[in-house]
Amino acid sequence: MAMTERLKVNMIECDGHGVCAELVPELIRLDEWGYPVLAAAPVPPDLRKHARKAVTLCPRLALRLTEDR
Protein backbone atom coordinates (compact mmCIF):
# COMPACT_ATOMS: atom_id res chain seq x y z
CA MET A 1 0.00 0.00 0.00
CA ALA A 2 1.30 3.47 -0.91
CA MET A 3 2.06 5.94 1.86
CA THR A 4 -0.21 8.97 2.04
CA GLU A 5 0.55 12.23 3.80
CA ARG A 6 -1.68 15.08 4.92
CA LEU A 7 -0.90 18.64 5.86
CA LYS A 8 -1.80 19.73 9.38
CA VAL A 9 -1.54 23.15 10.97
CA ASN A 10 -1.19 24.08 14.63
CA MET A 11 -3.56 27.05 14.74
CA ILE A 12 -2.20 28.17 18.11
CA GLU A 13 1.29 28.58 16.62
CA CYS A 14 0.16 30.00 13.27
CA ASP A 15 0.40 33.78 12.85
CA GLY A 16 -1.23 33.86 9.40
CA HIS A 17 1.83 34.85 7.37
CA GLY A 18 0.37 33.04 4.32
CA VAL A 19 3.64 31.61 3.03
CA CYS A 20 2.10 28.13 2.90
CA ALA A 21 -0.76 29.21 0.64
CA GLU A 22 1.69 30.92 -1.73
CA LEU A 23 3.77 27.74 -2.01
CA VAL A 24 0.94 25.18 -2.29
CA PRO A 25 -2.23 26.98 -3.41
CA GLU A 26 -3.62 23.66 -4.65
CA LEU A 27 -3.82 22.44 -1.03
CA ILE A 28 -4.02 25.58 1.11
CA ARG A 29 -6.21 28.64 0.85
CA LEU A 30 -6.43 31.54 3.28
CA ASP A 31 -9.56 32.52 5.19
CA GLU A 32 -10.70 36.13 5.49
CA TRP A 33 -8.20 36.75 8.33
CA GLY A 34 -5.25 35.28 6.44
CA TYR A 35 -5.13 31.93 8.25
CA PRO A 36 -4.73 28.67 6.32
CA VAL A 37 -7.59 26.38 5.44
CA LEU A 38 -6.16 23.01 4.43
CA ALA A 39 -7.51 20.55 1.89
CA ALA A 40 -8.97 17.46 3.56
CA ALA A 41 -7.54 15.17 0.89
CA PRO A 42 -4.11 13.57 1.15
CA VAL A 43 -1.20 15.37 -0.50
CA PRO A 44 -0.92 14.08 -4.08
CA PRO A 45 2.50 12.63 -4.99
CA ASP A 46 3.16 15.44 -7.50
CA LEU A 47 2.70 18.08 -4.76
CA ARG A 48 4.72 16.44 -1.96
CA LYS A 49 7.88 18.37 -2.80
CA HIS A 50 5.95 21.67 -2.61
CA ALA A 51 4.18 20.63 0.60
CA ARG A 52 7.51 19.78 2.24
CA LYS A 53 8.90 23.15 1.20
CA ALA A 54 5.88 24.91 2.73
CA VAL A 55 6.45 23.00 5.99
CA THR A 56 10.14 23.96 6.01
CA LEU A 57 9.52 27.63 5.22
CA CYS A 58 6.66 28.21 7.68
CA PRO A 59 7.89 31.17 9.79
CA ARG A 60 6.25 29.79 12.95
CA LEU A 61 6.83 26.08 12.19
CA ALA A 62 3.08 25.62 12.57
CA LEU A 63 2.68 23.46 9.45
CA ARG A 64 3.59 19.79 9.28
CA LEU A 65 3.12 16.70 7.16
CA THR A 66 1.67 13.66 8.85
CA GLU A 67 1.69 10.12 7.54
CA ASP A 68 -1.64 8.32 7.29
CA ARG A 69 -1.59 4.87 8.83
Side-chain angles (χ1 to χ4, degrees):
M1 183 195 300
M3 175 185 71
T4 59
E5 296 176 304
R6 292 182 194 273
L7 283 168
K8 304 276 184 182
V9 66
N10 179 334
M11 294 306 287
I12 294 170
E13 291 295 323
C14 180
D15 275 349
H17 289 274
V19 174
C20 56
E22 290 179 25
L23 294 169
V24 197
E26 301 88 346
L27 300 173
I28 305 170
R29 67 176 179 81
L30 300 178
D31 68 12
E32 61 265 29
W33 298 284
Y35 287 92
V37 177
L38 308 178
V43 176
D46 61 320
L47 292 177
R48 283 189 184 139
K49 178 181 173 184
H50 299 291
R52 287 187 183 111
K53 186 172 184 178
V55 168
T56 301
L57 295 178
C58 176
R60 299 283 301 166
L61 303 176
L63 190 65
R64 61 189 169 103
L65 270 173
T66 62
E67 193 176 311
D68 283 349
R69 295 182 184 246

